[in-house]
Amino acid sequence: MKDVACLYSMNITACAPNSENLFLSDTVLNDLKSRFKYIVVLYDNDRAGLYNMAKIRRLHPELTYTYIPNGGKDISDFYKNNGKTKTLKLIKDFLIWLRKK
């Protein structure tokens, strides 16, 4: 939930399952698909996070998947280590890439 709070503090809508071993229910996912143009799966940049993100990617290839590059295992660590300005730049650069995709 700390990642959701971090993203929310930067005016980015986010939600999280109770665990990285779980994903959103089909009902919740379909609701999100009807409300948002992009759904980005952003799990931790560690073994468990990358493994579970790969599992979800096989089930939902229509979603967009990414992870935090060097600088933290998750977005809140990246923010803590690099500050708000660099975190917003990281997000802005990702959005530019996403819109070109």
Side-chain angles (χ1 to χ4, degrees):
M1 292 306 281
K2 70 178 181 163
D3 295 326
V4 171
C6 180
L7 291 166
Y8 182 78
S9 76
M10 295 181 285
N11 296 317
I12 298 170
T13 303
C15 64
N18 291 333
S19 160
E20 283 188 342
N21 295 320
L22 303 172
F23 193 59
L24 306 173
S25 70
D26 288 342
T27 303
V28 171
L29 183 58
N30 288 333
D31 177 58
L32 293 172
K33 286 179 182 181
S34 72
R35 294 172 38 213
F36 297 98
K37 183 174 181 176
Y38 302 109
I39 298 175
V40 179
V41 178
L42 176 64
Y43 275 24
D44 288 356
N45 188 13
D46 61 13
R47 185 179 183 100
L50 296 174
Y51 174 80
N52 286 303
M53 189 165 51
K55 279 182 17 182
I56 295 164
R57 187 179 208 154
R58 286 190 292 277
L59 296 172
H60 299 285
E62 73 280 10
L63 304 178
T64 301
Y65 298 83
T66 192
Y67 60 92
I68 300 301
N70 296 336
K73 81 171 181 116
D74 56 38
I75 193 71
S76 59
D77 284 351
F78 189 92
Y79 187 102
K80 179 181 172 186
N81 295 337
N82 297 287
K84 185 175 184 176
T85 302
K86 285 188 179 180
T87 304
L88 287 171
K89 181 175 178 354
L90 176 75
I91 293 167
K92 182 180 176 183
D93 290 347
F94 176 76
L95 289 173
I96 291 169
W97 171 84
L98 184 60
R99 289 179 180 138
K100 287 181 181 179
K101 185 178 141 185

